Amino acid sequence: MTGGDTDAPASPARTIPPRELSVWALPGIPEIAAGDNLVALILAAAAARPLMDGDILVVTSKIVSKAEGRLVRAEDREAAISAETARVVATRNGTRIVENRLGIVGAAAGVDASNVPAGTVLLLPEDPDRSARILAAGIRAAGPHIGVILSDTIGRPWREGQTDIAIGAAGVRVFDELEGTPDSAGRPLAVTRPCLADEIAAAGDLVKGKTFGLPVAVVRGYADAVGPLDLPGARSIIRTSETDMFRFGSDEAYAAGFAAGLNAVADTESSRS
Amino acid sequence: MTGGDTDAPASPARTIPPRELSVWALPGIPEIAAGDNLVALILAAAAARPLMDGDILVVTSKIVSKAEGRLVRAEDREAAISAETARVVATRNGTRIVENRLGIVGAAAGVDASNVPAGTVLLLPEDPDRSARILAAGIRAAGPHIGVILSDTIGRPWREGQTDIAIGAAGVRVFDELEGTPDSAGRPLAVTRPCLADEIAAAGDLVKGKTFGLPVAVVRGYADAVGPLDLPGARSIIRTSETDMFRFGSDEAYAAGFAAGLNAVADTESSRS
């Protein structure tokens, strides 16, 4: 098994040149306000170390929301969460896990009260894939053929803490399609479909951090993931309800089952009498 | 808001120098067999570009399993899955989502049939945090003060595809503890606790890939996460059952509730007669 010789004869494993990623945050992006031109601000921030074809920008969705004027008064926080909620998945001790209108399952529907002025909350972009496309198209028009991922921070059901995921994507493959690719023993890798976009979002978070005023990361070295702007966006990462084994919290599903069990007996009783 | 001046007066946001990560895979690690000395193999693979203090090694848990002799005959695959299973969380269409003996929730309890010889399956390391400590201690004894993360590939309930996560860790902070840190508006970031170890595992996967024979990645540039070997391991990432809102699949919880509803009526009936 070798790691690098791309001139070697075809082997059962895919021969991909070993890659090296460089990941850094763009310095000097100011606090963003509604109407700000993110393309211009990002290009200015990248001036000292220009973007190159094949770079992937990981943009904290929060600054896109701010530029798009998605800040609302904090008095409306609960109403804002409800408006962004497609359905409640589970609730416990004041935490509401919901599926938001984008299909993303998480706490508070992505309504954010951190890093915004007191008295306000920030909603997610209206359509993060569209926002990513607009950003990517604007930057590509200025030169470099880059991809854009909009990231957000989200919890996980069985693991403590949060990681960043992709909630929007443009011009970048969101999955590494390995299905059917032979593994190193020559057998097909049946179910492996790494979510590149989420892994790139996570890598970007490592240099952006949450509190440092560094909302845009550059990931250089994965140019083979960068492609046309009409590649499927982050919406394609959302699992459909047909394959969702955790559509409701355990307590919620149990309670619904319990009520149905009671009713089933009542129905039998009433049909007997 | 600036990204870089570490001599600036204290601001509400933490002043952390902007970091740049370099992420690459070690070339030339051979197919691993039981008893192989991973410390020696990793150091040899790193000879051309020596490891430095503060580097974090992301090691595919599979090679640790192989070195530890965790390969079992494939005839025993279902038995192996059952033996590794602490409890079944959900089943659908032949997919068993289980909590394994390490507390990790995923498909097939981490029992792996890819990238192993035909007729065999590979179990996870007996104790991945211990394995990570042994590796880290061995490499540190040879010089560089590195951290080690053992990674595995796992699916997510509400998102398609897989990402790599940390199933073992040694000498590296698994969480970035931001709780109480002021955000850029000076208010405490109440609930944010980024899971560094999982984000670093994801970044490592981007250069390792699944099929290229590159099982070890180096993440350089996050030295402030590297610390003593007795820092909490990846086990500390596992959510406890008390805070797990998705302890069972929706169908399983509903069925349990339904049966309890039927029984509740039966109990009432029998106490009445």
Side-chain angles (χ1 to χ4, degrees), chain A residues 92-187:
Chain A
R92 192 187 288 188
N93 300 332
T95 299
R96 263 201 274 184
I97 307 295
V98 305
E99 179 181 325
N100 70 15
R101 61 182 171 74
L102 301 168
I104 298 166
V105 177
V111 174
D112 195 345
S114 64
N115 285 306
V116 294
T120 63
V121 297
L122 194 62
L123 308 183
L124 293 177
E126 184 74 38
D127 178 347
D129 281 331
R130 187 186 59 201
S131 302
R133 273 197 308 277
I134 292 169
L135 256 180
I139 295 169
R140 288 183 179 190
H145 191 260
I146 50 74
V148 168
I149 286 171
L150 300 199
S151 66
D152 198 16
T153 303
I154 201 154
R156 302 83 56 87
W158 303 300
R159 297 177 75 72
E160 299 282 355
Q162 299 87 32
T163 58
D164 270 20
I165 60 166
I167 67 163
V172 57
R173 281 187 294 119
V174 297
F175 292 109
D176 194 8
E177 303 288 357
L178 296 178
E179 201 153 344
T181 305
D183 67 13
S184 61
R187 287 175 305 171

Side-chain angles (χ1 to χ4, degrees), chain A:
Chain A
M1 192 183 294
T2 68
D5 189 352
T6 53
D7 295 327
S11 80
R14 288 206 301 188
T15 43
I16 298 269
R19 65 176 89 248
E20 172 160 357
L21 300 185
S22 298
V23 188
W24 70 93
L26 295 180
I29 294 195
E31 189 64 37
I32 301 297
D36 280 354
N37 182 340
L38 288 183
V39 169
L41 290 168
I42 287 171
L43 288 171
R49 186 174 179 182
L51 298 174
M52 286 170 48
D53 289 349
D55 286 349
I56 299 170
L57 297 176
V58 184
V59 180
T60 303
S61 60
K62 191 185 296 279
I63 67 165
V64 177
S65 292
K66 287 180 176 174
E68 293 180 356
R70 303 280 290 160
L71 208 59
V72 299
R73 306 282 314 159
E75 296 90 283
D76 303 323
R77 180 166 194 261
E78 290 306 310
I81 293 175
S82 297
E84 295 283 298
T85 295
R87 65 183 186 89
V88 176
V89 173
T91 46
R92 192 187 288 188
N93 300 332
T95 299
R96 263 201 274 184
I97 307 295
V98 305
E99 179 181 325
N100 70 15
R101 61 182 171 74
L102 301 168
I104 298 166
V105 177
V111 174
D112 195 345
S114 64
N115 285 306
V116 294
T120 63
V121 297
L122 194 62
L123 308 183
L124 293 177
E126 184 74 38
D127 178 347
D129 281 331
R130 187 186 59 201
S131 302
R133 273 197 308 277
I134 292 169
L135 256 180
I139 295 169
R140 288 183 179 190
H145 191 260
I146 50 74
V148 168
I149 286 171
L150 300 199
S151 66
D152 198 16
T153 303
I154 201 154
R156 302 83 56 87
W158 303 300
R159 297 177 75 72
E160 299 282 355
Q162 299 87 32
T163 58
D164 270 20
I165 60 166
I167 67 163
V172 57
R173 281 187 294 119
V174 297
F175 292 109
D176 194 8
E177 303 288 357
L178 296 178
E179 201 153 344
T181 305
D183 67 13
S184 61
R187 287 175 305 171
L189 271 170
V191 294
T192 304
R193 198 170 177 233
C195 186
L196 276 190
D198 282 350
E199 294 194 326
I200 292 169
D205 189 45
L206 292 169
V207 300
K208 290 189 299 180
K210 294 280 179 282
T211 61
F212 320 136
L214 296 170
V216 180
V218 182
V219 175
R220 178 168 293 171
Y222 217 129
D224 45 315
V226 175
L229 289 183
D230 60 357
L231 284 170
R235 180 87 205 193
S236 67
I237 304 171
I238 307 289
R239 193 183 283 283
T240 60
S241 59
E242 292 75 50
T243 59
D244 178 0
M245 294 160 84
F246 300 92
R247 189 156 170 75
F248 296 101
S250 301
D251 290 355
E252 285 74 12
Y254 183 95
F258 191 87
L262 289 180
N263 280 335
V265 177
D267 290 351
T268 311
E269 298 280 300
S270 67
S271 70
R272 250 194 282 166
S273 59

